[in-house]
């Protein structure tokens, strides 16, 4: 169980550290796979329809559908493979390490019931959310924004599955709707930026600044 | 319970249907029919609870942890539900006629049932969380209804002013309910009421006061009223001014039930705010040239009177004079119902006038009572009622507050005595000015002859418009002559407010009221009979219609008539130091003066000295920040991230 969580965490760092978009997307896909396997590794998972459904659906969405979509948009929009960070990759990794320390420190003060998952899940989820946000801030291309958002969503998903026993339907609906909506919005954004500005850099949105 | 739920379900369904249907007639039927049906069904439980069948309560466990939504109907809620649903049903009937041929107003129709549903939600919500949600929904629904004619610039401006004001109110209420939640450990109103000792009552009371008084429109937070009411379609103005602003009063009274023994200064502050609203509201009303703006300022005045009643009740409570407490709260509650009736009626009348003549300026109207008799007579009734003249209902509630104030002045000493006397003087002053103001309106609009030529023949509205106006006018008269009809319901409401054990003490003032009303009604009845006899006498004779003696004016024109502005001018000059009118005056010059003109215009004190400079400063700071903004998506994300991180750290190391 723990190794899945550690894998997810490592993949978050992989997205922070990789210089090419393709490896970023692969890292996110792998992270999604780790997460969707997590509910299956608990006791009595195979008899619980909620956990089975959650695992299959999230695997299909997080590991198959969205990475495929991202690769497709990468090809179609002829996006350059470089990630174009505003904060350099080394500094990003260092910052990620800081966030990880902060997450573990903060999680020490929480007393959340994580059963049947190991208590490690809380700091890992926090760290993944923080890394996701960091990606959103430190990368400029629209497609890296989508990736950052996905990492963020994965962190939220990790938090969510601890609540699965009490509020199964809410968690499931919340997880999938959020994800789909997010990807849709970002997808449209990429498309739009491509059409109008011919590149997918969110810096171009600065042109929308209010005229005074 | 089943009636309450089905009533809300009907409102929501009709809003949805009105949204889906595109064809005008079906859209209108769905929205207005839904409002009428839902209101009538919702009135059943309200009447039952007021009749003494006990309170209704229900709660749902939400899907979120630790959150339960509670709705319920106690005496206080039911008493407010009565005017809300009653006036909504009548306004829906009116709108049926009013909306004919007004294409641009149909698009906002789905918000109408939603507004009624949310007003109903505000009074039946029994926990702070649900209350805030429906409160916000109510603000949004009314915002969209106010901006129905958004092509006009002043309408958009009014909409923004209203939106800003209502968000200010919600911000303070949010703080209020969160502080309450922190003390009580739950959002339920019942749990608030059982908190043994409240810390920082002052802060809580001020938050509630600012939040609720902004919605109610008390001075100096009333600035949205004179903008929003003229901008909204008339049937919406009637609903907003008649009942929506009363939800602010309801909130204030509900907040009073949380604190069993408020400090003395709370009541005194309320009386102070009330006197300021009443006097300044009516003074500004007097100086207006726009009919609907004038009526909006009269709402400020009447909210002031209601606040004086509530403040008096609170003073009575903290000084332990149950009679004063009952008279104060009772008068305020009675005035809430009365104001809903006559202010609703006045705005509906203004709607008819606007619909027929396309004019709102008093100086361009005139002689309408011959062309629109029903509107004229019902408007006159409402005007008499709002001035507090017997035998109409406004007299009864003001009288109750007067008796309470005099009782208070007899019983109190020092500061409470001072406030009671100030309030007596204030209400008397406001009442006198209100009579002046409405003689100006009725004289300018209905008497004399038209001051400008109409583009098309002016005629009475459709029967759907006249019917609700007739009903409202009848209710004004009925409650004026027989106020004891309402007294058992008033007692239930007062019991819900936590007062009202000595019912007998209230019965005595109400009984004298009835005699007083009869004493006025009998001479008026005799006069009416005399007029009938005279009419019959004249009818039997041969009559000839001829001009009256015209003082030697060979060719009188309607422009020679005394105008509404000139009627109000002496008072305006007298209060110049306070009103600071802007005057453009071109005097007639020479032996044969060619042209001369006079124009005056009054800016609101609160807007001029408080909100105008304040918004200017805020805009300056915000512009400065915006100039320095790099406007990049990652920057905004960084702001969000930093905020979340701060909140997390706060939660982890300090706790909420």
């Amino acid at each position: 169980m723990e190794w899945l969580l550690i894998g997810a965490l490592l993949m978050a760092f992989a997205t922070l550290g990789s210089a090419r978009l393709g490896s970023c997307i692969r890292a996110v896909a792998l992270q999604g796979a780790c997460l969707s396997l997590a509910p299956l590794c608990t006791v009595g998972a195979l008899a619980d329809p909620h956990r089975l459904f959650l695992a299959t659906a999230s695997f299909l969405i997080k590991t198959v559908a969205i990475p495929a979509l991202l690769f497709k948009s990468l090809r179609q929009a002829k996006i350059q493979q470089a990630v174009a960070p505003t904060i350099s990759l080394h500094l990003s990794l260092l910052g990620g390490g800081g966030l990880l320390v902060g997450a573990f420190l903060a999680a020490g003060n929480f007393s959340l019931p994580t059963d049947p998952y190991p208590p490690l899940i809380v700091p890992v989820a926090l760290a993944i959310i923080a890394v996701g946000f960091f990606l959103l801030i430190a990368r400029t291309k629209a497609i890296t924004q989508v990736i950052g958002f996905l990492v963020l969503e994965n962190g939220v998903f990790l938090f969510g599955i601890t609540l699965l026993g009490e509020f199964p339907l809410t968690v499931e609906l919340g997880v999938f709707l959020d994800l789909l909506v997010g990807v849709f919005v970002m997808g449209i954004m990429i498309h739009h930026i491509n059409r109008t500005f011919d590149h997918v850099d969110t810096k171009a949105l600065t042109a929308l600044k209010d005229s005074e | 319970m089943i009636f309450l739920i089905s009533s809300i379900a009907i409102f929501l369904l009709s809003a949805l249907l009105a949204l889906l249907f595109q064809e005008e007639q079906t859209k209108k039927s769905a929205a207005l029919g839904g409002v009428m049906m839902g209101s009538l069904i919702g009135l059943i439980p309200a009447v039952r609870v007021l009749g003494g069948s006990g309170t209704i309560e229900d709660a749902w466990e939400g899907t979120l942890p630790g959150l339960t939504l509670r709705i319920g109907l106690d005496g206080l809620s039911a008493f407010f539900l009565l005017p809300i649903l009653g006036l909504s049903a009548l306004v829906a009937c009116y709108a049926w006629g009013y909306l004919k041929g007004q294409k641009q107003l149909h698009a906002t129709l789905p918000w109408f049932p939603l507004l009624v549903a949310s007003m109903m939600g505000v009074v039946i919500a029994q926990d702070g969380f649900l209350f805030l949600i429906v409160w916000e929904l109510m603000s949004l629904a009314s915002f969209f209804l106010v901006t129905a004619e958004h092509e006009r610039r002043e309408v958009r401006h009014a909409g923004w002013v209203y939106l800003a004001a209502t968000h200010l109110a919600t911000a303070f209420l949010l703080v209020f309910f969160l502080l309450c939640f922190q003390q009580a450990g739950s959002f339920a109103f019942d749990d608030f009421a059982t908190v043994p000792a409240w810390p920082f009552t002052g802060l809580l009371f001020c938050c509630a006061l600012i939040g609720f008084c902004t919605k109610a429109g008390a001075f100096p937070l009333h600035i949205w009223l004179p903008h929003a009411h003229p901008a909204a379609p008339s049937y919406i103005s009637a609903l907003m001014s008649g009942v929506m602003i009363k939800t602010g009063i309801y909130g204030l009274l509900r907040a009073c039930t949380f604190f069993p023994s408020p400090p003395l200064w709370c009541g005194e502050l309320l009386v102070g705010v009330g006197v300021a609203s009443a006097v300044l509201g009516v003074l500004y009303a007097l100086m207006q040239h726009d009919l609907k703006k004038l009526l909006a300022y009269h709402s400020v005045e009447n909210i002031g009177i209601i606040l004086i009643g509530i403040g008096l009740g609170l003073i009575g409570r903290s000084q332990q004079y149950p009679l004063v407490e009952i008279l104060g709260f009772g008068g305020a509650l009675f005035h809430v119902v009365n104001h809903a009736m006559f202010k609703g009626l006045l705005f509906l009348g203004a709607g008819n006038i606007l619909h027929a003549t396309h004019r709102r300026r008093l100086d361009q109207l005139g002689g309408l009572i011959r062309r629109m008799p029903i509107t004229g007579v019902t408007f006159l009734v409402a005007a008499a009622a709002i001035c507090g003249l017997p035998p109409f209902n406004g007299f009864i509630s003001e009288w109750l507050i007067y008796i309470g104030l005099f009782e208070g002045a007899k019983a109190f000493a020092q500061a409470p005595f001072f406030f009671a006397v100030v309030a007596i003087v204030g209400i008397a002053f406001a009442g006198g000015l209100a009579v002046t103001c409405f003689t100006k309106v009725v004289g300018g609009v209905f008497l004399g002859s038209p001051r400008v030529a109409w583009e098309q023949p002016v005629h009475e509205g459709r029967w759907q418009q006249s019917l609700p106006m007739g009903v409202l006018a009848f209710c004004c008269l009925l409650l004026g002559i027989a106020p004891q009809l309402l007294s058992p319901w008033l007692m239930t409401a007062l019991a819900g407010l936590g007062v009202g054990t000595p019912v007998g003490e209230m019965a005595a003032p109400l009984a004298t009221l009835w005699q007083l009303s009869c004493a006025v009604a009998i001479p008026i009845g005799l006069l009416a009979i005399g007029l009938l006899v005279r009419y019959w006498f004249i009818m039997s004779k041969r009559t000839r219609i001829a001009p009256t003696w015209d003082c030697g004016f060979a060719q009188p024109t309607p422009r020679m008539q005394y105008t509404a502005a000139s009627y109000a001018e002496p008072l305006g000059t007298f209060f110049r130091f306070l009103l600071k009118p802007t005057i453009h005056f071109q005097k007639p010059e020479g032996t044969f003066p060619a042209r001369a003109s006079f124009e005056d215009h009054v800016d609101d004190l609160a807007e001029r000295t408080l909100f105008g400079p304040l918004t200017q400063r805020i805009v300056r700071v915000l512009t400065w920040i915006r100039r320095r903004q790099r406007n990049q998506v990652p920057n905004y994300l960084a702001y969000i991230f930093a905020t979340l991180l701060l909140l997390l750290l706060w939660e982890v190391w300090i706790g909420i």
Side-chain angles (χ1 to χ4, degrees):
Chain A
M1 187 65 216
E2 270 93 353
W3 56 269
L4 276 176
L5 297 178
I6 291 165
L9 197 57
L10 282 180
M11 284 308 121
F13 277 89
T15 50
L16 265 184
S18 57
R20 291 173 64 79
L21 282 178
S23 47
C24 261
I25 297 173
R26 276 186 209 102
V28 170
L30 206 54
Q31 188 182 40
C34 290
L35 295 183
S36 45
L37 284 179
L40 289 181
C41 292
T42 52
V43 185
L46 295 177
D48 183 2
H50 283 301
R51 267 179 269 177
L52 272 179
F53 170 72
L54 193 68
T56 352
S58 58
F59 186 81
L60 284 178
I61 293 181
K62 287 179 192 295
T63 320
V64 183
I66 292 174
L69 259 174
L70 286 175
F71 272 119
K72 196 179 164 195
S73 62
L74 209 60
R75 268 197 310 280
Q76 272 188 351
K78 296 194 181 66
I79 300 167
Q80 300 246 315
Q81 279 280 353
V83 291
T86 45
I87 299 172
S88 77
L89 294 178
H90 296 99
L91 263 183
S92 298
L93 279 173
L94 216 60
L99 290 174
L100 185 66
V101 172
F104 270 87
L105 278 181
N109 291 359
F110 283 143
S111 56
L112 289 176
T114 57
D115 207 48
Y117 300 95
L120 186 66
I121 198 165
V122 176
V124 169
L126 272 181
I128 292 180
I129 291 175
V131 167
F133 244 117
F134 193 81
L135 272 176
L136 283 175
I137 296 164
R139 304 283 183 272
T140 49
K141 283 194 173 175
I143 194 153
T144 43
Q145 303 276 312
V146 180
I147 293 170
F149 190 72
L150 280 174
V151 174
L152 184 77
E153 276 293 334
N154 284 341
V156 175
F157 175 87
L158 259 187
F159 254 130
I161 57 174
T162 58
L163 294 173
L164 191 61
E166 287 171 74
F167 308 99
L169 204 65
T170 321
V171 172
E172 282 163 19
L173 284 180
V175 165
F176 293 122
L177 275 183
D178 265 10
L179 202 69
L180 274 181
V181 169
V183 170
F184 265 117
V185 170
M186 295 283 192
I188 291 164
M189 211 168 92
I190 292 177
H191 221 65
H192 196 73
I193 293 170
N194 254 347
R195 287 262 172 84
T196 43
F197 300 112
D198 226 29
H199 59 85
V200 283
D201 202 332
T202 41
K203 270 184 183 162
L205 288 178
T206 317
L208 295 175
K209 187 172 177 172
D210 291 339
S211 54
E212 187 58 41
Chain B
M1 198 61 192
I2 183 75
F3 287 115
L4 274 186
I5 306 269
S6 53
S7 160
I8 289 184
I10 289 173
F11 288 138
L12 296 182
L13 188 71
S14 76
L16 192 69
L17 285 179
L19 189 69
L20 290 178
F21 288 132
Q22 288 306 316
E23 206 269 317
E24 260 174 42
Q25 196 58 39
T26 17
K27 204 179 179 85
K28 201 167 84 175
S29 313
L32 302 181
V35 169
M36 276 193 251
M37 202 157 70
S39 302
L40 293 181
I41 291 176
L43 278 174
I44 298 171
V47 170
R48 266 207 207 147
V49 168
L50 286 175
S53 73
T55 57
I56 311 174
E57 260 187 86
D58 201 355
W60 289 288
E61 286 294 332
T63 47
L64 285 171
L67 188 68
T68 313
L69 299 182
R70 296 172 186 80
I71 66 168
L73 205 59
D74 61 357
L76 188 61
S77 312
F79 194 79
F80 275 86
L81 200 56
L82 209 63
I84 288 177
L85 292 183
L87 191 66
S88 298
L90 290 173
V91 163
C93 177
Y94 177 86
W96 211 297
Y98 184 77
L99 287 175
K100 256 181 205 153
Q102 304 230 39
K103 256 202 174 80
Q104 74 280 12
L105 297 183
H106 280 81
T108 50
L109 261 180
W111 295 102
F112 181 36
L114 217 53
L115 174 63
V116 181
S118 53
M119 285 196 293
M120 185 174 172
V122 164
V123 295
I124 66 173
Q126 295 293 336
D127 79 23
F129 195 80
L130 184 64
F131 183 90
L132 282 176
I133 294 175
V134 283
W135 180 268
E136 232 1 54
L137 188 66
M138 179 175 80
S139 305
L140 285 181
S142 46
F143 166 74
F144 284 108
L145 285 166
V146 165
T147 52
E149 294 170 73
H150 52 83
E151 301 84 12
R152 282 160 46 207
R153 206 175 150 273
E154 72 267 23
V155 171
R156 287 199 301 273
H157 177 242
W160 291 126
V161 170
Y162 174 54
L163 202 63
T166 191
H167 273 103
L168 181 80
T170 311
F172 279 94
L173 292 183
L174 204 63
V175 174
F176 172 70
F177 280 114
L178 283 180
L179 285 176
C180 285
F181 171 74
Q182 206 185 9
Q183 290 304 316
S186 124
F187 273 115
F189 288 167
D190 292 342
D191 295 339
F192 290 173
T194 53
V195 170
W198 288 94
F200 35 82
T201 328
L203 178 67
L204 280 174
F205 185 77
C206 286
C207 280
L209 190 68
I210 295 178
F212 289 125
C213 281
T214 307
K215 184 58 95 179
F219 192 85
L221 300 162
H222 67 284
I223 51 157
W224 65 271
L225 271 159
H227 288 287
H229 286 319
S234 294
Y235 74 107
I236 295 304
S237 315
L239 199 63
M240 282 175 71
S241 186
V243 289
M244 197 198 75
I245 60 172
K246 302 298 163 25
T247 57
I249 297 295
Y250 166 78
L252 209 56
L253 286 172
R254 179 59 75 188
C256 289
T257 64
F258 302 158
F259 313 112
S261 51
L264 179 61
W265 62 264
C266 294
E268 291 171 352
L269 181 64
L270 270 180
V271 170
V273 171
V275 170
S277 304
V279 172
L280 287 171
V282 73
L283 267 182
Y284 278 109
L286 196 61
M287 297 310 293
Q288 299 306 315
H289 307 296
D290 180 316
L291 178 56
K292 286 177 83 179
K293 209 164 184 173
L294 181 145
L295 293 178
Y297 273 112
H298 268 287
S299 292
V300 177
E301 181 222 342
N302 280 282
I303 287 294
I305 292 172
I306 294 172
L307 286 181
I308 290 176
I310 297 175
L312 182 69
L314 284 180
I315 295 180
R317 183 177 282 188
S318 62
Q319 300 277 317
Q320 271 137 31
Y321 282 101
L323 180 60
V324 174
E325 186 184 350
I326 289 184
L327 284 169
F329 281 128
L333 282 174
F334 208 134
H335 203 69
V336 165
V337 173
N338 292 345
H339 185 246
M341 286 176 190
F342 53 65
K343 188 45 73 63
L345 182 51
L346 285 171
F347 267 113
L348 295 185
N352 270 0
I353 294 167
L354 187 62
H355 198 49
T357 65
H358 298 290
R359 279 177 177 79
R360 287 202 314 237
R361 289 185 66 84
L362 293 172
D363 295 340
Q364 295 178 342
L365 295 162
L368 284 180
I369 200 154
R370 299 213 172 279
R371 293 166 182 82
M372 308 172 77
I374 299 176
T375 310
V377 171
T378 52
F379 197 94
L380 189 61
V381 167
I386 200 175
C387 295
L389 297 178
F392 298 107
N393 57 356
F395 171 68
I396 307 295
S397 44
E398 288 197 27
W399 181 255
L400 283 179
I401 295 176
Y402 269 123
I403 302 181
L405 287 170
F406 277 111
E407 287 289 337
K410 273 195 293 186
F412 297 153
Q414 293 172 343
F417 168 76
F418 171 74
F419 275 97
V421 172
V422 167
I424 292 173
V425 175
I427 296 194
F429 189 64
L433 287 178
V435 174
T436 321
C437 189
F438 275 95
T439 46
K440 162 184 144 173
V441 174
V442 173
V445 175
F446 291 106
L447 304 182
S449 56
R451 289 181 173 80
V452 289
W454 313 127
E455 288 86 8
Q456 77 275 26
V458 168
H459 50 77
E460 189 60 71
R462 298 183 176 80
W463 69 266
Q464 293 101 324
Q465 285 160 278
S466 306
L467 177 73
M469 294 173 70
V471 171
L472 284 172
F474 175 73
C475 288
C476 284
L477 187 64
L478 182 70
L479 276 189
I481 292 177
Q484 64 274 36
L485 288 179
L486 198 68
S487 64
W489 291 357
L490 201 59
M491 289 302 143
T492 322
L494 285 172
L497 205 53
V499 283
T501 27
V503 175
E505 293 192 53
M506 184 77 174
L510 274 176
T512 57
L513 277 179
W514 179 69
Q515 293 162 0
L516 206 66
S517 284
C518 279
V520 180
I522 290 168
I524 290 182
L526 285 177
L527 190 70
I529 293 171
L531 283 175
L532 270 179
V533 169
R534 179 175 163 272
Y535 182 70
W536 172 77
F537 194 67
I538 290 172
M539 281 300 282
S540 62
K541 295 265 163 57
R542 206 161 55 83
T543 52
R544 185 169 60 92
I545 293 175
T548 49
W549 181 56
D550 52 12
C551 304
F553 277 93
Q555 281 188 317
T557 74
R559 288 186 61 206
M560 288 177 181
Q561 290 177 97
Y562 204 48
T563 62
S566 40
Y567 182 76
E569 197 270 341
L571 272 171
T573 314
F574 188 76
F575 288 105
R576 204 168 39 205
F577 65 95
L578 199 64
L579 297 168
K580 299 233 167 40
T582 327
I583 295 175
H584 303 284
F585 188 17
Q586 192 182 358
K587 280 186 181 170
E589 278 166 7
T591 320
F592 299 102
R595 46 186 310 126
S597 68
F598 180 85
E599 199 184 320
D600 72 339
H601 169 71
V602 172
D603 282 324
D604 198 298
L605 179 69
E607 219 171 314
R608 194 180 65 217
T609 58
L610 180 61
F611 288 99
L614 189 70
T615 42
Q616 245 175 22
R617 303 248 156 84
I618 293 176
V619 165
R620 209 179 298 155
V621 172
L622 291 182
T623 322
W624 184 80
I625 293 176
R626 195 166 62 176
R627 291 243 173 85
R628 266 143 200 78
Q629 214 26 278
R630 278 186 298 159
N631 289 32
Q632 286 176 345
V633 176
N635 280 12
Y636 292 115
L637 289 170
Y639 297 150
I640 295 173
F641 187 49
T643 313
L644 287 176
L645 214 59
L646 268 179
L647 288 176
L648 180 76
L649 294 183
W650 190 350
E651 160 72 30
V652 167
W653 277 291
I654 300 174
I656 298 179

